[in-house]
Amino acid sequence: MRFIIRFVLLFCTTILVSMLFTYLFRAAARRFRWTDKPTKAKVHIKETPTMGGVAIFLAFWGAYFLGIPLNVRSGFAGIIFLSSLIILVTGIIDDYYDLRPWQKMIGILSAANVLYFFSGIKIDSLTLSYFGTIEFHEAGYLVMMLWIVVITNAVNLMDGLDGLATGTSIISLSTMGLVSYFFTDNMGVINVAMIFLLVASLLGFLPFNFYPSSIFLGDTGSLFIGFMIAVLSLFDLKHATFVSLLIPVAILGVPLTDTIAAVLRRTLHKRSISAKDKSHLHHRLLRLGFTHRQTVLVIYALAIIFSLTAILFPISSFWGTVVLGLGLIYGVMLFIASFNLLDSNRSKLRKTLYRLLREKDDKNK
């Protein structure tokens, strides 16, 4: 009980410190012209301070190293800090010089490799009920690299509107923390504390980042947040099960769906996977007539729906989990087709789903 009270105080203090750091960094960014200038490819219309991820990074790691006693810290905290620092530097360079996608990928993979080779955070096996256990062995390296790259880039792609990536990350991390604390045996209390300290750091930043934003995350922030979500979700995946694997996937349903749709869309149109476009979910909602603020709130609501679905997994039976999983897959497909995230009227997936929807409507009539 004493630890919980102390942590609640630390959580609240972290929010205030994050707000202070954001306020001070915003002033410094304005002075030194660390700003994001509007272009035709961007939504914002005025020059705005960026690299807000620096304030989040300082608030989070400051709270962790100064607020969590040395004798109870995670044994991998130093390695996680070093790898996240590599991500932060990559983001700063990208915000300042606008790196090419492959250059940004080098930074992400460098951080992931530091984590893999110098910590015990790995994905070694996957256990499927009634089917046994799949040992990854050397392939575990590729699985972990793919996991980190996909989730990091998913959050990075979500950072298209004021407060969008920050808010959805708060929802995802809060759900991850609650599920880990109440339903997961392998997740230590200190690891859960690390999740909620990141939530506190984001809560302190959000008032400055929500529409109309006075400071942007930049790739500095979105890459750091995405990387930390990927790493924190790995704490319970060393010996993954079907359920433990589905939970973070469901929690991150919105950014992962948008990323999958982006890859499929660019492949269908024979464009580079890294090519930028204006067919992401938030672009679609804006074109449907939603305002900037309404679009962000709608996506928050979608993120909450995915998170509530994730909470059902650990309390469901095996077949209940299978039904939920199939429902989640169908929901994602419906999500992609309904908003035409593939940006193609000739898409077989879109045609099939719309045919199913029309048939259901006809039957209901």
Side-chain angles (χ1 to χ4, degrees):
M1 183 63 70
R2 182 187 297 177
F3 175 81
I4 294 176
I5 295 173
R6 287 178 59 187
F7 182 76
V8 170
L9 291 174
L10 178 61
F11 182 87
C12 295
T13 302
T14 303
I15 294 175
L16 296 175
V17 170
S18 178
M19 293 179 73
L20 176 62
F21 283 175
T22 303
Y23 177 82
L24 295 174
F25 185 82
R26 182 183 62 180
R30 284 172 176 165
R31 179 173 181 178
F32 294 104
R33 302 298 298 274
W34 299 332
T35 57
D36 191 345
K37 299 176 179 61
T39 65
K40 291 182 179 180
K42 297 176 181 178
V43 176
H44 67 284
I45 56 175
K46 65 177 182 177
E47 190 173 346
T48 306
T50 189
M51 300 187 199
V54 173
I56 296 171
F57 178 92
L58 293 174
F60 170 70
W61 283 114
Y64 186 82
F65 286 124
L66 296 177
I68 302 296
L70 182 63
N71 62 322
V72 295
R73 289 180 199 163
S74 169
F76 308 130
I79 300 301
I80 298 173
F81 170 78
L82 178 59
S83 57
S84 67
L85 181 60
I86 294 172
I87 287 290
L88 185 81
V89 172
T90 301
I92 291 173
I93 296 172
D94 186 35
D95 284 330
Y96 200 81
Y97 293 106
D98 195 16
L99 296 176
R100 294 181 179 179
W102 66 266
Q103 293 172 320
K104 193 188 303 186
M105 188 64 68
I106 289 175
I108 297 172
L109 289 174
S110 297
N113 275 276
V114 167
L115 194 72
Y116 182 85
F117 288 107
F118 296 99
S119 77
I121 301 174
K122 294 178 173 63
I123 304 178
D124 291 336
S125 63
L126 174 63
T127 300
L128 301 173
S129 300
Y130 301 108
F131 296 100
T133 299
I134 302 171
E135 297 290 342
F136 289 124
H137 302 295
E138 288 78 9
Y141 170 81
L142 297 176
V143 173
M144 182 170 165
M145 294 300 110
L146 181 63
W147 182 269
I148 291 176
V149 166
V150 169
I151 294 179
T152 302
N153 279 292
V155 176
N156 185 226
L157 287 174
M158 283 294 292
D159 188 29
L161 296 179
D162 297 354
L164 183 55
T166 306
T168 52
S169 295
I170 289 171
I171 294 168
S172 298
L173 283 163
S174 298
T175 308
M176 189 186 303
L178 290 172
V179 171
S180 299
Y181 185 77
F182 288 106
F183 301 111
T184 304
D185 297 327
N186 299 328
M187 181 79 84
V189 175
I190 296 304
N191 294 333
V192 175
M194 185 178 282
I195 293 173
F196 281 108
L197 284 180
L198 184 54
V199 171
S201 302
L202 294 174
L203 284 172
F205 181 78
L206 184 59
F208 298 88
N209 186 232
F210 195 72
Y211 183 82
S213 176
S214 61
I215 184 170
F216 293 155
L217 279 174
D219 278 7
T220 305
S222 59
L223 288 176
F224 169 68
I225 296 169
F227 180 79
M228 289 303 301
I229 291 176
V231 172
L232 293 171
S233 66
L234 282 169
F235 281 149
D236 190 43
L237 292 183
K238 183 175 178 64
H239 300 291
T241 63
F242 182 65
V243 173
S244 66
L245 189 65
L246 276 179
I247 289 173
V249 172
I251 289 172
L252 295 165
V254 172
L256 286 177
T257 299
D258 201 30
T259 301
I260 292 168
V263 172
L264 291 174
R265 179 174 64 247
R266 291 161 189 174
T267 302
L268 283 171
H269 291 278
K270 298 180 180 179
R271 296 197 299 262
S272 170
I273 292 177
S274 59
K276 295 181 179 180
D277 57 34
K278 281 196 170 185
S279 294
H280 290 287
L281 175 60
H282 54 275
H283 294 127
R284 290 288 176 187
L285 289 172
L286 287 171
R287 284 200 285 272
L288 284 173
F290 289 94
T291 66
H292 193 124
R293 188 189 296 266
Q294 288 170 341
T295 297
V296 172
L297 293 176
V298 166
I299 296 177
Y300 283 180
L302 290 171
I304 291 172
I305 292 171
F306 274 103
S307 292
L308 291 175
T309 302
I311 293 174
L312 294 175
F313 279 112
I315 60 176
S316 299
S317 64
F318 170 76
W319 291 111
T321 300
V322 171
V323 172
L324 276 173
L326 292 174
L328 186 64
I329 293 170
Y330 178 76
V332 167
M333 293 171 65
L334 189 62
F335 187 4
I336 292 173
S338 297
F339 290 103
N340 193 18
L341 295 181
L342 298 183
D343 198 21
S344 174
N345 292 323
R346 294 177 298 175
S347 166
K348 291 182 179 179
L349 171 62
R350 187 167 185 251
K351 284 183 177 180
T352 301
L353 287 172
Y354 272 110
R355 191 179 298 118
L356 288 172
L357 287 172
R358 280 198 296 269
E359 286 176 2
K360 287 185 177 180
D361 288 340
D362 293 338
K363 289 179 181 178
N364 290 332
K365 290 177 182 179

